[in-house]
Amino acid sequence: MADEEKYTKLIDEIKILYTEHLNKQNILRLDREKKFSIFCNELQDLYEQEKEKIYDVYVRPFVNQYSFLQEASSLEVIGKLKYETYHSLFLKYIWSCQNPFGAQILKDFLITIGQEKKWLNTLFCRNYEGCIEERTKALRKGNDKKRIDLLFVDKKNEWCIVIENKIDSEVHYSGSQKRSQLDSYYSHCEKTYMGYNKLYILLSYNNKNTSHVKGNWIYADYYTVFKSLLKYHAKDDLIRDYLKSLFKLLFSNDIMLNNEYNTLYRGMQFYNNIISNIK
């Protein structure tokens, strides 16, 4: 038979060892909790410091300088923030040579998208005209989508700037998806303005349209428009109003001053989505 006293003693020793193990584990756990608590406090302090740094260096100066962006715009009030034609109308006015700042603003926009061609200096001669919904030959064949959204033409200095404007929609195709509306506009302008210097620009809020750019077309987004207009916010009431519309369009979910829910994440989001796009 087994030695009962021997096994009882063994079990008691195992219990003591297990109890000691539990005590050590508990001491280690308490020590880890203490260190983790210290770490969390240090991390919270660091978090608050970094958050305040982002807000003090970037967010608050921007918001204070451009506080008018928090105001309602005309397009916002009438529910037309994402209507392409309304944006084209504003841009036609803003970039018009009849606008005292129009030629310079248009030049600023073109430089921002990397277009610094010598012939663009003739913008300041103020001989160009702008129109929206320019009819093309394809329109006469029954396709009501074959209208150029925004077109600037200088017949004296022989140049034209063609702008297709997209907010939520994408570039349209016809003929089993082989020919896009951009192809139609290009063909129309190459024939109509033969010998002219030309720029073909796809201006879009919907970044899916980047995949449709090819050939002589270049891509520009509405961040670029916003950036090129911002320094003129005090020059013209309509420019100021349109900037408010663009801000609501581009940054509708971002923060402004006096938001009690500001976080480091939202501050960085504001910097990445706004400030870094207008530098």
Side-chain angles (χ1 to χ4, degrees):
M1 292 182 60
D3 189 334
E4 182 177 342
E5 183 179 346
K6 179 180 178 181
Y7 282 103
T8 300
K9 184 178 179 180
L10 177 61
I11 292 172
D12 289 339
E13 289 178 353
I14 292 174
K15 286 181 178 179
I16 293 171
L17 289 173
Y18 181 68
T19 301
E20 289 178 351
H21 173 74
L22 289 179
N23 289 336
K24 288 181 180 179
Q25 290 296 315
N26 190 47
I27 291 171
L28 289 172
R29 178 180 61 79
L30 291 173
D31 184 60
R32 287 195 295 267
E33 288 179 354
K34 182 180 179 180
K35 290 180 179 178
F36 182 70
S37 178
I38 294 172
F39 168 77
C40 287
N41 290 332
E42 292 175 346
L43 182 62
Q44 178 66 27
D45 291 341
L46 180 61
Y47 173 88
E48 292 297 330
Q49 291 172 18
E50 288 301 307
K51 185 182 77 170
E52 287 306 309
K53 180 180 177 181
I54 292 296
Y55 279 80
D56 288 343
V57 175
Y58 299 111
V59 179
R60 291 189 182 96
F62 177 91
V63 171
N64 290 335
Q65 184 176 0
Y66 305 111
S67 58
F68 71 93
L69 294 171
Q70 299 175 88
E71 302 168 1
S73 71
S74 57
L75 293 185
E76 182 183 16
V77 169
I78 64 175
K80 302 295 184 182
L81 272 179
K82 293 190 175 182
Y83 280 64
E84 294 166 359
T85 302
Y86 288 83
H87 285 272
S88 294
L89 284 166
F90 266 101
L91 291 173
K92 176 191 172 186
Y93 164 79
I94 290 170
W95 288 335
S96 168
C97 62
Q98 278 72 51
N99 182 332
F101 309 101
Q104 184 60 61
I105 297 173
L106 180 54
K107 182 73 179 295
D108 288 350
F109 168 72
L110 295 172
I111 289 174
T112 302
I113 62 175
Q115 301 301 309
E116 300 186 61
K117 303 179 185 299
K118 289 184 179 180
W119 59 266
L120 290 173
N121 290 324
T122 62
L123 281 167
F124 300 106
C125 297
R126 299 183 180 277
N127 293 312
Y128 65 92
E129 296 182 356
C131 67
I132 66 167
E133 301 293 325
E134 169 76 2
R135 297 168 64 94
T136 67
K137 293 181 178 180
L139 185 69
R140 293 198 293 268
K141 298 178 182 178
N143 191 335
D144 60 359
K145 294 179 180 178
K146 294 299 188 293
R147 296 175 185 267
I148 299 173
D149 289 329
L150 191 54
L151 179 67
F152 293 98
V153 178
D154 185 336
K155 294 182 178 179
K156 181 176 180 180
N157 294 293
E158 297 188 333
W159 58 257
C160 69
I161 300 172
V162 184
I163 300 174
E164 174 59 16
N165 189 11
K166 297 292 184 186
I167 302 296
D168 280 337
S169 62
E170 288 191 58
V171 171
H172 305 296
Y173 285 80
S174 59
S176 300
Q177 304 297 304
K178 292 182 179 180
R179 184 175 175 83
S180 74
Q181 59 185 137
L182 301 182
D183 295 325
S184 297
Y185 303 156
Y186 177 81
S187 297
H188 170 79
C189 291
E190 288 297 308
K191 293 178 182 177
T192 305
Y193 304 106
M194 188 178 297
Y196 281 36
N197 289 306
K198 305 176 189 70
L199 275 180
Y200 296 94
I201 302 170
L202 174 57
L203 174 62
S204 181
Y205 167 72
N206 182 352
N207 60 17
K208 291 182 179 179
N209 282 307
T210 56
S211 62
H212 303 293
V213 175
K214 60 182 180 179
N216 291 287
W217 287 86
I218 60 175
Y219 185 82
D221 59 30
Y222 269 92
Y223 289 102
T224 310
V225 178
F226 184 81
K227 175 181 177 179
S228 66
L229 291 178
L230 199 57
K231 67 180 179 181
Y232 297 97
H233 73 275
K235 303 290 187 181
D236 186 299
D237 287 340
L238 282 176
I239 292 176
R240 190 180 181 90
D241 180 69
Y242 187 53
L243 278 166
K244 291 186 286 187
S245 293
L246 287 179
F247 190 82
K248 299 301 189 305
L249 176 71
L250 297 170
F251 315 118
S252 59
N253 295 320
D254 282 299
I255 56 175
M256 292 300 276
L257 197 60
N258 299 323
N259 189 325
E260 59 179 310
Y261 301 109
N262 288 342
T263 64
L264 178 59
Y265 171 76
R266 288 168 69 80
M268 288 303 301
Q269 189 178 45
F270 189 93
Y271 175 82
N272 291 330
N273 292 348
I274 299 176
I275 299 169
S276 65
N277 280 297
I278 61 170
K279 283 185 175 181

